[in-house]
Each structure stands twice: as C-alpha cells, then as structure tokens.
Amino acid sequence: MAAQIIDGKKVAAEVRAEVRMGVDLRREQGKRPPGIAVILIGDDPASNVYVNHKRRACDEVGIMSRSYDLPASTTQFELLKIVDELNADPVIDGILIQLPLPSHIDDSLVIERIDPGKDVDGFHPTNVGKLALRIPALRPCTPFGVIKLIESTGQVCKGKHVVVVGASNIVGRPMALELLLRGATVTVCHRFSADSAALSRQADIVIAAAGKPGLITADWVRPGATVLDVGINRLDTGKLVGDVDFASVSEKAAWISPVPGGVGPMTVAMLMMNTLRACEKHQL
Ligand code: NAD
C-alpha cells in the first residue's frame, strides 16, 4: 500500500499563519514588528535560493528583514564587526548567517559571536547546550520542523525507536536531542556506522539527513514505518532529490515526506517562529 504523504507545505503554511497572528497582535499593541538580519556571503546559487525563500517568508508574515549581501572576499574581521553591530541593534531580534561560509572564515567562531538570544538558527553552543540539558531556548529550525511534521501525522515520539541517519552539528545531532527531549529511543547513524541499513530497519521512524541522494532504499525501511527526508541534493540534471528513494520507500512506509515540499518549507517556517519568539523575549 502506498504511504501517506506528509505535506510540509501545508504544515509550514499553518506555522507561518500562527507567526503572522503573533506579529499582527504586536502591531495592534503598538509594538514594533520582529526584525531579522539575513547575511549572505558570496554567490553560491543554492544559498541564494535559500536566502530568497527566507526573505519572502519574512515579508509574508510581517517580519522586518534587513539584507546583508556581502562579497566572497569579506574578511572574518569584517563579518564579526557586523555581528557585533547587529547584537547591539535594538530592532534586530534575529541574526541569520547563511552557511556554508567561504573557507577563510571560521563558522564556529562567527556563530559563537552571535548573541544567543538572537541566534534564530539555534546553532549557538548555548542554545544547543540548553537543548541537551532539557531547557530549550531557541531551537535548531530543521530538527524542530521535523518534530512538527511527525506530530502532524498524529503520532507521538514518546517510546518510539527513531533512527537518525546523519550526525552533523546542524541536523543529525540536534535532531537526536529534540527526539530525546520527547521521550524517543534514538539511534544515530553516521558514515562510520557498521550497518546503518540494519539499524534503520528496526526503526518506527527514520529521519534521513546524510546528504546522499537515494541512500535510503526500501531495504532500509520496515513495513509501516514513518520516513522523513531532510536531504536536499541537486542532481546533474538539475533535479532536486532527497536522501530517500521515494518510489520504492513510499510502497513500504506508512508515512513519507517528499522532497521538495517536505522538511524544507518547515525549516523556513520555524525560522519565522524563532524570530517572533526572540522578539517577544526582548520585549521592546
Ligand atoms: P553533512 O554532510 O554535514 O552531514 C552528513 C552526515 O551524514 C554526517 O554525519 C555523515 O557521517 C552522515 N553520512 C554520510 N553518509 C552516510 C551513510 N552512508 N550512512 C550513514 N550516515 C552517513 O550534511 P548536513 O548539513 O547535515 O545535511 C544533510 C542533508 O540535509 C543535505 O542534503 C542538506 O542539503 C540537507 N539539509 C536540508 C535542510 C532542510 O531544510 N531540509 C536543512 C539543512 C540540511
């Protein structure tokens, strides 16, 4: 039987509508709208696309977005100076630095320079640490979006065995922390795992975040499992695909998120939600 589709576009639209209501309420109360600074360095085509999605989403929900489109030659010193200025700017609640940064800039150093209260991506060690300690503050957008998608199917994570394929700082690791927070039993696979397919076959829920097109085939999935595909891979043909072989897995899973139209829109929606939350914390 074919799997039911987890419609990320629909769930993301609901989250954006909730943010829009929060922003409108602020306006009615005579408060300023939330503000975000979006920093893009260089001219990576994929980064350009992501940043445009984020800016469009800001317009839609009424968040003020300020663009910093900087040349690839921008130095680390210059970038840190901008971050310092934005940290001190009272109308900026969120600072988003589109990754990856050019190789002459140290990502970790720049992320650590952001005020954790303005870290709307949820990448700062303080925010990741708080998530690990079960006192979440600003949460990493993609993992939080995946949780919302799982919940949109009517399932709870509590007690489920979830296999996360991928262990990066921005997806796999915080994903595991979000799942633990919700009482799931979590297995994290990575490139050194001996047999990721065998582990994945034991899962109630599989979350694919390896950045490998078609890695998760039907052989990785137990009948009736839920499969979420975080992967975004552009093939030489220009086609956008996930890490999951959608055709075969959708014949075996009970629920599956497509690419595009699955996790991607949720990441942007959760960024909007984080910006509103950061703003409400500032109370200005
Ligand atoms: P990454 O390259 O930093 O990490 C990939 C992880 O997968 C690593 O931990 C690696 O060990 C693991 N891995 C690689 N091959 C594997 C294999 N055969 N078996 C098991 N584990 C394996 O990538 P990332 O930044 O975490 O991104 C992962 C994917 O998610 C990419 O396609 C990226 O474009 C996408 N992504 C999507 C969103 C979204 O909003 N949907 C957001 C961020 C990243």
Side-chain angles (χ1 to χ4, degrees), residues 170-194:
I170 63 167
V171 190
R173 278 164 207 258
M175 187 75 250
L177 293 174
E178 283 286 355
L179 290 160
L180 271 177
L181 188 65
R182 279 174 170 72
T185 302
V186 187
T187 301
V188 182
C189 303
H190 44 75
R191 69 181 92 242
F192 305 120
S193 299

Short mmCIF file of all heavy atoms in Angstrom, two decimals, residues 170-194:
data_model
loop_
_atom_site.label_atom_id
_atom_site.label_comp_id
_atom_site.label_asym_id
_atom_site.label_seq_id
_atom_site.Cartn_x
_atom_site.Cartn_y
_atom_site.Cartn_z
N ILE A 170 24.30 20.61 12.48
CA ILE A 170 23.11 21.42 12.22
C ILE A 170 21.85 20.57 12.04
O ILE A 170 20.76 21.09 12.13
CB ILE A 170 23.29 22.40 11.04
CG1 ILE A 170 23.54 21.68 9.72
CG2 ILE A 170 24.39 23.39 11.33
CD1 ILE A 170 23.42 22.61 8.53
N VAL A 171 22.01 19.28 11.74
CA VAL A 171 20.80 18.45 11.59
C VAL A 171 20.82 17.23 12.52
O VAL A 171 20.05 17.16 13.49
CB VAL A 171 20.55 17.99 10.13
CG1 VAL A 171 19.15 17.37 10.03
CG2 VAL A 171 20.67 19.13 9.12
N GLY A 172 21.68 16.27 12.25
CA GLY A 172 21.61 14.97 12.95
C GLY A 172 21.70 15.07 14.46
O GLY A 172 20.86 14.51 15.19
N ARG A 173 22.69 15.80 14.96
CA ARG A 173 22.89 15.85 16.43
C ARG A 173 21.74 16.57 17.15
O ARG A 173 21.15 16.00 18.08
CB ARG A 173 24.24 16.51 16.76
CG ARG A 173 25.37 15.54 16.66
CD ARG A 173 26.73 16.21 16.60
NE ARG A 173 27.61 15.32 15.87
CZ ARG A 173 28.51 14.52 16.44
NH1 ARG A 173 28.71 14.56 17.73
NH2 ARG A 173 29.22 13.70 15.69
N PRO A 174 21.41 17.81 16.72
CA PRO A 174 20.27 18.45 17.40
C PRO A 174 18.96 17.68 17.20
O PRO A 174 18.07 17.71 18.07
CB PRO A 174 20.20 19.86 16.78
CG PRO A 174 21.02 19.81 15.55
CD PRO A 174 22.04 18.74 15.76
N MET A 175 18.84 16.97 16.06
CA MET A 175 17.65 16.13 15.83
C MET A 175 17.54 15.08 16.94
O MET A 175 16.47 14.86 17.51
CB MET A 175 17.78 15.46 14.45
CG MET A 175 16.56 14.70 14.01
SD MET A 175 15.23 15.79 13.47
CE MET A 175 14.04 15.58 14.77
N ALA A 176 18.67 14.43 17.23
CA ALA A 176 18.69 13.40 18.28
C ALA A 176 18.30 14.02 19.63
O ALA A 176 17.55 13.41 20.40
CB ALA A 176 20.08 12.77 18.36
N LEU A 177 18.76 15.24 19.90
CA LEU A 177 18.44 15.89 21.18
C LEU A 177 16.95 16.22 21.28
O LEU A 177 16.33 16.04 22.33
CB LEU A 177 19.27 17.17 21.34
CG LEU A 177 20.78 16.97 21.50
CD1 LEU A 177 21.51 18.31 21.49
CD2 LEU A 177 21.08 16.21 22.78
N GLU A 178 16.37 16.71 20.16
CA GLU A 178 14.93 17.01 20.16
C GLU A 178 14.12 15.74 20.42
O GLU A 178 13.12 15.76 21.14
CB GLU A 178 14.49 17.59 18.79
CG GLU A 178 14.85 19.04 18.56
CD GLU A 178 13.96 20.01 19.35
OE1 GLU A 178 13.01 19.58 20.02
OE2 GLU A 178 14.26 21.21 19.32
N LEU A 179 14.55 14.64 19.80
CA LEU A 179 13.82 13.37 19.95
C LEU A 179 13.92 12.84 21.38
O LEU A 179 12.95 12.36 21.95
CB LEU A 179 14.35 12.35 18.95
CG LEU A 179 14.00 12.66 17.49
CD1 LEU A 179 14.93 11.92 16.55
CD2 LEU A 179 12.54 12.32 17.19
N LEU A 180 15.13 12.95 21.96
CA LEU A 180 15.32 12.52 23.35
C LEU A 180 14.42 13.31 24.28
O LEU A 180 13.81 12.76 25.20
CB LEU A 180 16.78 12.75 23.77
CG LEU A 180 17.77 11.63 23.51
CD1 LEU A 180 19.16 12.08 23.93
CD2 LEU A 180 17.38 10.36 24.26
N LEU A 181 14.35 14.62 24.00
CA LEU A 181 13.51 15.51 24.82
C LEU A 181 12.06 15.04 24.81
O LEU A 181 11.33 15.23 25.79
CB LEU A 181 13.62 16.93 24.25
CG LEU A 181 13.00 18.07 25.01
CD1 LEU A 181 13.70 18.26 26.35
CD2 LEU A 181 13.10 19.37 24.20
N ARG A 182 11.65 14.44 23.71
CA ARG A 182 10.26 13.97 23.59
C ARG A 182 10.10 12.51 23.98
O ARG A 182 9.08 11.90 23.71
CB ARG A 182 9.77 14.19 22.17
CG ARG A 182 9.35 15.63 21.99
CD ARG A 182 9.01 15.93 20.57
NE ARG A 182 8.40 17.23 20.50
CZ ARG A 182 9.03 18.38 20.65
NH1 ARG A 182 10.34 18.38 20.89
NH2 ARG A 182 8.40 19.53 20.57
N GLY A 183 11.13 11.92 24.54
CA GLY A 183 10.98 10.56 25.07
C GLY A 183 11.13 9.44 24.05
O GLY A 183 10.70 8.31 24.29
N ALA A 184 11.74 9.75 22.90
CA ALA A 184 12.01 8.68 21.93
C ALA A 184 13.29 7.93 22.31
O ALA A 184 14.13 8.45 23.06
CB ALA A 184 12.17 9.28 20.53
N THR A 185 13.42 6.71 21.80
CA THR A 185 14.68 5.98 21.89
C THR A 185 15.41 6.26 20.59
O THR A 185 14.85 6.03 19.51
CB THR A 185 14.41 4.47 22.04
OG1 THR A 185 13.60 4.29 23.19
CG2 THR A 185 15.70 3.68 22.15
N VAL A 186 16.62 6.81 20.68
CA VAL A 186 17.25 7.34 19.48
C VAL A 186 18.54 6.60 19.11
O VAL A 186 19.38 6.36 19.97
CB VAL A 186 17.60 8.84 19.67
CG1 VAL A 186 18.09 9.44 18.36
CG2 VAL A 186 16.40 9.62 20.19
N THR A 187 18.63 6.22 17.85
CA THR A 187 19.88 5.67 17.31
C THR A 187 20.37 6.66 16.25
O THR A 187 19.59 7.07 15.39
CB THR A 187 19.64 4.31 16.63
OG1 THR A 187 19.10 3.40 17.60
CG2 THR A 187 20.93 3.72 16.06
N VAL A 188 21.63 7.06 16.36
CA VAL A 188 22.18 7.98 15.37
C VAL A 188 23.22 7.24 14.52
O VAL A 188 24.19 6.70 15.06
CB VAL A 188 22.84 9.21 16.04
CG1 VAL A 188 23.36 10.18 14.99
CG2 VAL A 188 21.85 9.91 16.97
N CYS A 189 23.00 7.19 13.21
CA CYS A 189 23.96 6.56 12.30
C CYS A 189 24.79 7.64 11.62
O CYS A 189 24.31 8.74 11.38
CB CYS A 189 23.26 5.78 11.20
SG CYS A 189 22.15 4.55 11.78
N HIS A 190 25.99 7.28 11.26
CA HIS A 190 26.86 8.21 10.55
C HIS A 190 27.77 7.41 9.63
O HIS A 190 27.63 6.18 9.54
CB HIS A 190 27.65 9.07 11.55
CG HIS A 190 28.21 8.28 12.67
ND1 HIS A 190 29.29 7.46 12.53
CD2 HIS A 190 27.75 8.12 13.94
CE1 HIS A 190 29.53 6.86 13.67
NE2 HIS A 190 28.60 7.23 14.54
N ARG A 191 28.70 8.10 9.00
CA ARG A 191 29.48 7.42 7.97
C ARG A 191 30.32 6.26 8.51
O ARG A 191 30.75 5.40 7.77
CB ARG A 191 30.35 8.41 7.17
CG ARG A 191 31.48 9.03 7.93
CD ARG A 191 32.25 10.02 7.07
NE ARG A 191 31.73 11.37 7.21
CZ ARG A 191 31.20 12.07 6.22
NH1 ARG A 191 31.11 11.58 5.03
NH2 ARG A 191 30.77 13.30 6.45
N PHE A 192 30.58 6.23 9.83
CA PHE A 192 31.37 5.13 10.39
C PHE A 192 30.51 4.01 10.98
O PHE A 192 31.04 3.05 11.54
CB PHE A 192 32.34 5.67 11.47
CG PHE A 192 33.23 6.78 10.96
CD1 PHE A 192 33.21 8.04 11.53
CD2 PHE A 192 34.08 6.56 9.87
CE1 PHE A 192 34.00 9.06 11.04
CE2 PHE A 192 34.88 7.58 9.38
CZ PHE A 192 34.85 8.83 9.95
N SER A 193 29.20 4.16 10.90
CA SER A 193 28.33 3.10 11.42
C SER A 193 28.52 1.85 10.58
O SER A 193 28.62 1.93 9.35
CB SER A 193 26.86 3.55 11.38
OG SER A 193 26.68 4.69 12.18
N ALA A 194 28.55 0.69 11.27
CA ALA A 194 28.88 -0.56 10.56
C ALA A 194 27.79 -0.97 9.58
O ALA A 194 28.06 -1.37 8.45
CB ALA A 194 29.15 -1.66 11.57
#
